[in-house]
Amino acid sequence: MAPRAKRPIRLRGFRVDYPRKGRSNWRRWIPSWRLASGVFLLGCGALAGLFVVVYVSVDIPDENDEARREGTIYYWSDGTQLVSVGAVNRQNVTLDEIPDSVEHAVIAAENETFYSDPGVSAKGILRAAVSVVGGGETQGGSTITQQYVKNTYLTQEQSAKRKAKEFFISLKLNNRKTKEEILQGYLNTSWFGRGAYGVQAAAQAYYGIPAKDLDPSRAALLAALLKGAEQYDPAGGGGNHARAVDRWKWILDRQVETGAMTKAERAAYRTFPEPRAAVKPTSLGGQRGYLVDIANKYIKKRSGLTDKDLARGGYRVHTTFDKAKVRELERAVRSVRERDLDPKKRPQDRYVEVGAASVRPDDGAVVAVYGGEDAIKHFANNADTSGVPVGSAFKPFVLAAALQHGDGRITLTSGYDSTGRLVTDAAVRPGSGAEVAGHTTLFQALVASANVTFVELGKEVGLGKVKELAVAAGLHEKSLARLDKSFPLGTSTPSAVRMASAYGSFDNGGMRTEPYSVTGLSLDGKAVKGFDRPEKERAMAATVARDVNSALVSSAWRRLAEDGRFGVFARRTGDVSAGSTDAGDRMKSAWYVGHTEDLTTAVTVFRNKPGTPQLLGMHDVGGRKKDRGNVLPLRIWSEYVTGRAALPPGKGQDGPTAKAP
């Protein structure tokens, strides 16, 4: 029986010739041009109808929502307010108060067709939406009108729905407002970095002048920041300056191409207009600015938020910082500086910087930091920056790697003989016939900070293994030096926060926790995800941690006795362990990392003259010949953990002859 023929399609009395009559085989299924064009027109009509429906249904939101945004509030660990940052730093100005040079630079950089386009770029929106839906990176391509809509009426969410709303609101806004009004709004709401929203605040933040005084060169730099202040602020690291210069040049050249500037005018701007140093708000003076800096770094790492997002305000940030500990640490630094340094009389006491951090080993909480004298005057956070060699304070990681990877051959009682041969327990066991008298054990070498022993030990265990353990303990790999013979002696440059955290693993049974500074973040009463406390990880075997800590305890008592502080600590309860740089180190820095009362604190002292890339020498800092300033971190740590004023060397409460047990 022959297959039954398909009936032709009928649409409300209209006969559609499909499958096509009078055609055979596959030709029956090829629609006629009439049918194809009809379907196309029908589809276009449907899309047009849908466009009209959506256009009518989408309203322009209240443009004052953003203006009502509150500042971001940071809280101490006890729940009391640490500081309120904001609200939004914006100073609205009219277009008459903004020079043409700014307008020309911004339009050339962001939207050349601004004055002629309908307010949207369908191509840019489609590309961005497809990228977001496909899970790719967020895309640009928005017009100035679209960016103004995003700044003023919408959130910074990256989604296809938000992009669609942006498109329709931009169309409506373009029909309701003049281009001048839109441009004025855009220049008053855009993010320029350094906490500045709007061109007026940006001109003050970068050049200390009102927007009306911006020349074409400075205007081009501010226009460059619209592409992303975190990448184009010249004061930022990681190639920011080079990127800023390149884009500044491009924007000036682009204005020649668009006719906004002549070649002769362009030729007058050949020198990059360096902005002034970043200035923090007065509310972030003292240690508050450094605390907020550390909290913000952690927030950005865990949530993906940017400086721009945080600057919009409205967040509630609960931190791990202990108000009393921060004040005690600051007081200890100030006390030692005032007593032991005299920059007016001793040139070597000038440009001395201090960085310190306290971390709770049990859970990784950053309890206190000292980032510098004042966050408004000294912008670099000394507690959370790399660049300061750690010296002999790195040796415990070398010892731990040897014990971890020594296959049982290497213990604290192993050592090197006069020929440089490793002498293991088996070699010195009584009756073995291979006793070696007078060799220095690894325990003794760490306490005495013997450089030669640790150079040999690094070779014995392998520098790669040492690096591996240091990273496992919590040091950033990027802060570790190249693997050469000096590596075991501390040429690496970890931060004080990381050193305190890593040392905590020695006193915590070999377990370490990623340091954290924020316990919770919320926006408009809703918690932001990503702030669960970090999980504990094993950095080394418990027996290894115990053995290294045993040597660090003896090292601590030795240094305390040498500086006349044995009596103070001998009467304290709890354990004391520490590692430090040594007088024999040739590093341009001094460190002391000590643990007591469930808190590990790292203190570093170095000399850094503003504008000089290299650290200055530490010899005779504090007037102590041959100590290279190594006594200063110990004194700061000692005064901090005891709450007592540090005493002059050799005059401890128990007398100058106090000895360690």
Side-chain angles (χ1 to χ4, degrees), residues 69 72 298-306 309-310 313-318 518-533:
R69 176 70 75 189
T72 289
Y298 188 77
I299 289 170
K300 289 186 286 185
K301 177 182 177 182
R302 295 300 294 265
S303 68
L305 294 173
T306 65
D309 298 323
L310 293 172
Y315 291 94
R316 299 293 180 267
V317 184
H318 294 271
V518 176
T519 59
L521 177 72
S522 63
L523 177 64
D524 298 331
K526 297 180 180 179
V528 177
K529 295 180 179 179
F531 293 92
D532 294 334
R533 295 189 180 184

Side-chain angles (χ1 to χ4, degrees), residues 280-325:
K280 291 183 180 291
T282 55
S283 62
L284 295 179
Q287 297 305 304
R288 291 189 298 272
Y290 303 123
L291 297 171
V292 168
D293 173 64
I294 287 179
N296 285 351
K297 286 178 182 176
Y298 188 77
I299 289 170
K300 289 186 286 185
K301 177 182 177 182
R302 295 300 294 265
S303 68
L305 294 173
T306 65
D307 286 333
K308 179 180 179 180
D309 298 323
L310 293 172
R312 285 182 177 275
Y315 291 94
R316 299 293 180 267
V317 184
H318 294 271
T319 76
T320 60
F321 306 130
D322 185 302
K323 184 192 306 182
K325 291 294 183 184

